[in-house]
Amino acid sequence: MDIQLDPARDDLPLMANTSHILVKHYVLDLDVDFESQVIEGTIVLFLEDGNRFKKQNSSIEEACQSESNKACKFGMPEPCHIPVTNARTLSSEMEYNDFAICSKGEKDTSDKDGNHDNQEHASGISSSKYCCDTGNHGSEDFLLVLDCCDLSVLKVEEVDVAAVPGLEKFTRSPELTVVSEEFRNQIVHELVTLPANRWREQLDYYACCSQAPGCGELLFDTDTWSLQIRKTGAQTATDFPHAIRIWYKTKPEGRSVTWTSDQSGRPCVYTVGSPINNRALFPCQEPPVAMSTWQATVRAAASFVVLMSGENSAKPTQLWEGCSSWYYYVTMPMPASTFTIAVGCWTEMKMETWSSNDLATERPFSPSEANFRHVGVCSHMEYPCRFQNASATTQEIIPHRVFAPVCLTGACQETLLRLIPPCLSAAHSVLGTHPFSRLDVLIVPANFPSLGMARPSKDKTGHTSDSGASVIKHGLNPEKIFMQVHYLKGYFLLWFLAKRLGDETYFSFLRKFVHTFHGQLILSQDFLQMLLENIPEEKRLELSVENIHQDWLESSGIPKPLQRERRAGAECGLARQVRAEVTKWIRVNRRPRKRKRREKEEVFEKLLPDQLVLLLEHLLEQKTLSPRTLQSLQRTYHLQDQDAEVRHRWCELIVKHKFTKAYKSVERFLQEDQAMGVYLYGELMVSEDARQQQLARRCFERTKEQMDRSSAQVVAEMLF
């Protein structure tokens, strides 16, 4: 590749050559083994070369009309009768040791099967020989480059899609009578460009193709950040096979998923907000421009539940005793980083009673909706869009499921379940049509890195090469996810705009923005430009994209407009109530231990959680608070039972004033709220108090094996 990296830096490379070729669809067939902490199987990629893709996108409406006309020529697929290749059984020459997914085994970290991993070169290709250009090499072969890290790639082969019954009609060229590379690629092209109203048929064909036999192994090589595949004699992306199958397995140390235990102590694995996204889960194209669809079959022991970011509410299918299979799919093209999976021994929570308004069921699109995609309203690439479905646009509460570890089922039943329907309804009233047809809610383990899940975007990447490869500056810096300034500024910018424009104008714009840009990649500039174009002149009040960038993005510190709003906000009723309570607590703190008999007890008002946060922040500014005052604070507001934001401020008070009686609250916070606890570790160490530092080190020793890796690395640097 032509991206030069400095090993001493923390930049993150995006290596995929998306300018030359794009993945349009992934079919994953995976086994999850908790004993070895490995996910293994195959992934089939359906590709479209860059020239065809650009030509197709040059006139979306024309392409849609063309595909609509083709639709009458294609019938439904015949049942597939193709020998299914088991993902866990490879040819003997690969010397690959099979293992059962539902039985006990040892962690496989040695790559004893003899196949090449990311530290070795496979198939005898010199990676340096093919690193200069991945487009048309003249005498050299075309190189497909995928983003890949911490994976063991076992085999790559071309898929013989022409062997699938019924697919031969997908080539309209009469001269293509002999099965050839061009013939197969023509079939794939017709398949990936089927009109959206034939999405079920398309998924069926994808599934059949993914089970088709191979028609030749492909040469491949891996380095730290990429998988490079070539076919001898294929010198351009057009000549390269457009359907390939990759046999691979993850590594226990892979950074895209976390193998851990849930709150009940049962094993689970899930995708995390990793800086490397999903490239340690499957070979993919990471740049957001590579929008694709996917379908996945995942097998696991029957005691486990498999959840994915799919459009269907999957149910388990028993394959054999002790083993189940789950199937999910997505028809809306999205970046590969949005693919998520979680496998664990969770319990599905259900409301004991449902009101008629809460009942929402999934249904397939009816024949009468067959032409819904050709209304001409949406601007995104073609897919079965809910914004074109009349019943979907009025659906306030989409179907949803809630999963939780056994120990939290009571709390979920009591608190969470009843909140989801009104939240979904509120989202619909503010933003309009739900873009997705359903929702799964999972109570994740305490080590979930919730403070920042940065994804690559155009704004964060450096120079982009002709191939489409680029670099995310400081993308691997473990401290980056804890730098929340950009999130806070973004929140307050939206709050400021809503305040300036008024709720009615602002929310009306949000609905229009979502409707206009759904299904597309957008930048903050797009948002601001459309906002200013859609508000009355009298409400702009000198607002412009340029001065918003200057005040909010390019200047450090609190933006001046926010400072003015902050001073005005300090006069609101809720803030005045908090200041009155702060005054009471300061009086309490100044009183001597022995009080006069006639002195009245302070009566404290009940405060909302946000008010409690503000109260504790004000009290943090006090130089000293006595143990008696702190104990009274805890007792008055039941601080140990409040939400994480409140408890975090409470722990800061405990640490600042060395309130030893409440150190258990600090220990609990560091174990149960690990992402937010990172800041607290810093305060414990900065205090230079031996007992507090000992507490920090003790908690870290207990939790470091379960902690998110970035969090653990940052904390270790603080402690040692």
Side-chain angles (χ1 to χ4, degrees):
M1 291 296 296
D2 48 359
I3 297 293
Q4 300 299 319
L5 296 175
D6 180 357
R9 297 183 59 129
D10 52 14
D11 295 340
L12 174 63
L14 302 179
M15 305 295 281
N17 53 338
T18 53
S19 294
H20 299 148
I21 195 165
L22 284 172
V23 178
K24 303 300 292 180
H25 189 79
Y26 299 93
V27 179
L28 297 99
D29 186 36
L30 303 174
D31 297 320
V32 180
D33 185 353
F34 278 90
E35 291 296 330
S36 61
Q37 294 190 348
V38 164
I39 299 174
E40 180 188 21
T42 65
I43 182 170
V44 177
L45 280 57
F46 295 86
L47 306 159
E48 185 84 319
D49 65 82
N51 292 333
R52 246 176 183 167
F53 182 75
K54 291 172 186 174
K55 190 181 299 182
Q56 178 185 341
N57 277 357
S58 62
S59 178
I60 295 177
E61 292 182 4
E62 183 179 337
C64 289
Q65 183 61 44
S66 172
E67 295 302 336
S68 176
N69 294 336
K70 293 178 203 172
C72 63
K73 300 178 183 178
F74 301 152
M76 288 299 290
E78 301 171 17
C80 286
H81 301 291
I82 300 174
V84 178
T85 307
N86 192 311
R88 294 175 293 120
T89 309
L90 292 175
S91 56
S92 58
E93 63 267 24
M94 297 195 65
E95 301 179 9
Y96 175 60
N97 294 326
D98 189 17
F99 65 88
I101 64 166
C102 301
S103 60
K104 294 185 177 180
E106 298 179 356
K107 288 187 181 181
D108 188 357
T109 59
S110 63
D111 281 311
K112 58 184 178 294
D113 49 23
N115 295 289
H116 296 274
D117 60 18
N118 285 7
Q119 279 68 50
E120 299 174 306
H121 293 300
S123 303
I125 319 176
S126 167
S127 61
S128 60
K129 179 180 178 182
Y130 295 93
C131 70
C132 298
D133 184 15
T134 59
N136 190 333
H137 304 279
S139 61
E140 294 181 351
D141 295 328
F142 171 79
L143 204 62
L144 168 64
V145 181
L146 300 172
D147 292 298
C148 173
C149 177
D150 300 332
L151 292 177
S152 292
V153 178
L154 311 174
K155 177 183 177 183
V156 182
E157 65 180 0
E158 180 179 358
V159 177
D160 187 7
V161 294
V164 178
L167 277 184
E168 67 279 353
K169 63 192 172 190
F170 274 31
T171 175
R172 295 163 296 156
S173 303
E175 65 272 13
L176 295 180
T177 56
V178 179
V179 176
S180 62
E181 197 71 74
E182 185 180 0
F183 183 84
R184 297 189 189 95
N185 288 353
Q186 179 66 30
I187 289 175
V188 173
H189 170 69
E190 297 294 341
L191 177 56
V192 301
T193 55
L194 275 178
N197 61 339
R198 299 176 65 185
W199 63 274
R200 289 188 184 276
E201 177 186 0
Q202 187 181 47
L203 286 176
D204 289 342
Y205 274 132
Y206 280 139
C208 290
C209 288
S210 71
Q211 299 173 11
C215 55
E217 291 193 25
L218 301 175
L219 300 171
F220 69 92
D221 193 14
T222 58
D223 57 28
T224 304
W225 293 112
S226 70
L227 167 63
Q228 304 152 31
I229 305 169
R230 72 178 177 95
K231 179 177 181 178
T232 303
Q235 297 183 4
T236 67
T238 303
D239 302 329
F240 189 80
H242 283 27
I244 64 171
R245 181 186 291 114
I246 302 171
W247 309 71
Y248 76 98
K249 60 181 177 179
T250 65
K251 298 182 179 181
E253 67 272 19
R255 289 167 283 175
S256 291
V257 297
T258 291
W259 299 86
T260 185
S261 299
D262 65 18
Q263 292 87 334
S264 295
R266 298 182 177 185
C268 63
V269 61
Y270 60 88
T271 42
V272 294
S274 169
I276 67 167
N277 294 327
N278 286 322
R279 68 185 71 183
L281 178 59
F282 60 93
C284 58
Q285 291 183 328
E286 275 290 326
V289 69
M291 306 270 276
S292 58
T293 54
W294 58 264
Q295 62 197 98
T297 300
V298 179
R299 289 171 293 278
S303 57
F304 289 94
V305 172
V306 177
L307 302 176
M308 301 183 75
S309 49
E311 296 172 6
N312 59 312
S313 295
K315 299 292 184 182
T317 299
Q318 184 171 342
L319 299 179
W320 55 83
E321 186 176 356
C323 188
S324 296
S325 173
W326 302 70
Y327 171 74
Y328 288 91
Y329 63 82
V330 158
T331 61
M332 176 180 175
M334 290 185 288
S337 59
T338 62
F339 178 99
T340 61
I341 183 172
V343 185
C345 300
W346 297 302
T347 300
E348 182 177 358
M349 308 298 304
K350 296 183 179 180
M351 290 282 284
E352 295 178 357
T353 58
W354 292 86
S355 69
S356 59
N357 293 332
D358 291 342
L359 290 176
T361 58
E362 291 184 271
R363 63 175 183 82
F365 295 117
S366 66
S368 63
E369 298 166 343
N371 294 321
F372 72 93
R373 275 299 298 120
H374 303 288
V375 179
V377 174
C378 299
S379 302
H380 52 67
M381 66 179 70
E382 194 183 12
Y383 67 86
C385 176
R386 285 173 54 81
F387 286 75
Q388 295 292 302
N389 181 343
S391 61
T393 59
T394 59
Q395 189 178 30
E396 294 185 15
I397 303 171
I398 57 175
H400 53 278
R401 304 183 297 184
V402 179
F403 295 85
V406 174
C407 66
L408 295 179
T409 54
C412 286
Q413 194 77 45
E414 180 181 343
T415 305
L416 182 61
L417 287 185
R418 60 185 176 83
L419 293 177
I420 295 177
C423 286
L424 289 171
S425 181
H428 182 272
S429 67
V430 173
L431 300 175
T433 305
H434 291 285
F436 303 106
S437 59
R438 56 175 290 277
L439 174 70
D440 278 342
V441 178
L442 171 65
I443 308 301
V444 294
N447 63 352
F448 188 84
S450 56
L451 280 181
M453 297 192 290
R455 301 296 190 185
S457 70
K458 294 179 183 177
D459 291 323
K460 297 178 183 177
T461 56
H463 170 72
T464 301
S465 73
D466 292 339
S467 70
S470 61
V471 170
I472 302 175
K473 295 297 182 183
H474 309 297
L476 294 174
N477 185 346
E479 297 180 3
K480 187 176 181 180
I481 64 173
F482 304 106
M483 305 301 289
Q484 298 295 297
V485 174
H486 50 297
Y487 291 115
L488 292 172
K489 276 193 171 182
Y491 166 80
F492 282 113
L493 173 58
L494 295 178
W495 177 86
F496 165 75
L497 292 172
K499 186 90 171 175
R500 173 70 67 90
L501 304 178
D503 287 350
E504 184 177 350
T505 299
Y506 182 67
F507 289 134
S508 176
F509 160 74
L510 282 184
R511 283 189 290 275
K512 184 176 181 180
F513 178 80
V514 170
H515 191 275
T516 301
F517 287 106
H518 69 275
Q520 301 175 66
L521 294 174
I522 56 102
L523 300 174
S524 57
Q525 292 94 315
D526 301 324
F527 176 86
L528 295 173
Q529 191 63 48
M530 183 176 175
L531 172 67
L532 297 177
E533 291 172 354
N534 283 269
I535 60 175
E537 184 67 35
E538 64 271 13
K539 290 193 174 184
R540 292 190 188 181
L541 302 175
E542 300 180 353
L543 284 176
S544 69
V545 174
E546 291 73 22
N547 62 33
I548 290 175
H549 273 222
Q550 175 63 36
D551 291 342
W552 292 86
L553 302 180
E554 298 170 4
S555 301
S556 61
I558 300 176
K560 292 180 181 178
L562 184 58
Q563 293 179 20
R564 292 192 292 268
E565 293 289 347
R566 188 181 182 186
R567 287 192 291 270
E571 300 306 316
C572 76
L574 293 176
R576 286 198 302 271
Q577 185 182 14
V578 170
R579 286 201 303 275
E581 298 304 295
V582 170
T583 302
K584 294 178 185 178
W585 282 109
I586 292 175
R587 280 202 301 265
V588 167
N589 190 57
R590 288 174 178 171
R591 286 175 182 166
R593 183 177 293 274
K594 293 182 179 180
R595 297 178 306 169
K596 298 177 181 178
R597 288 184 179 180
R598 295 180 182 178
E599 197 169 4
K600 291 183 178 180
E601 289 280 348
E602 293 285 0
V603 178
F604 297 102
E605 300 292 331
K606 186 176 182 179
L607 299 178
L608 298 170
D610 285 346
Q611 289 180 298
L612 277 176
V613 171
L614 186 57
L615 171 76
L616 296 176
E617 286 178 348
H618 281 305
L619 293 178
L620 275 167
E621 297 172 0
Q622 298 299 307
K623 188 174 182 179
T624 58
L625 290 177
S626 68
R628 176 171 48 86
T629 301
L630 292 168
Q631 192 166 0
S632 182
L633 260 174
Q634 183 179 23
R635 185 172 56 249
T636 300
Y637 300 116
H638 305 284
L639 294 175
Q640 70 278 4
D641 300 324
Q642 297 290 340
D643 64 32
E645 291 283 353
V646 175
R647 288 187 287 111
H648 184 250
R649 297 300 190 281
W650 169 232
C651 288
E652 287 182 295
L653 273 176
I654 295 170
V655 172
K656 177 177 179 177
H657 299 291
K658 299 179 175 59
F659 184 39
T660 56
K661 289 185 178 180
Y663 277 3
K664 287 291 183 184
S665 295
V666 177
E667 291 190 36
R668 176 196 165 199
F669 191 88
L670 292 178
Q671 293 178 62
E672 297 182 4
D673 300 273
Q674 293 177 14
M676 294 183 70
V678 171
Y679 300 107
L680 207 54
Y681 276 110
E683 293 173 33
L684 287 166
M685 298 307 293
V686 168
S687 70
E688 297 185 352
D689 178 85
R691 186 170 177 180
Q692 289 189 359
Q693 292 182 346
Q694 184 181 18
L695 184 154
R697 293 191 176 99
R698 183 171 65 250
C699 289
F700 182 64
E701 284 300 317
R702 290 177 187 165
T703 60
K704 65 181 181 182
E705 296 302 325
Q706 290 79 40
M707 286 180 75
D708 162 65
R709 290 180 187 174
S710 294
S711 302
Q713 184 176 341
V714 171
V715 172
E717 291 174 357
M718 292 180 190
L719 302 186
F720 308 106

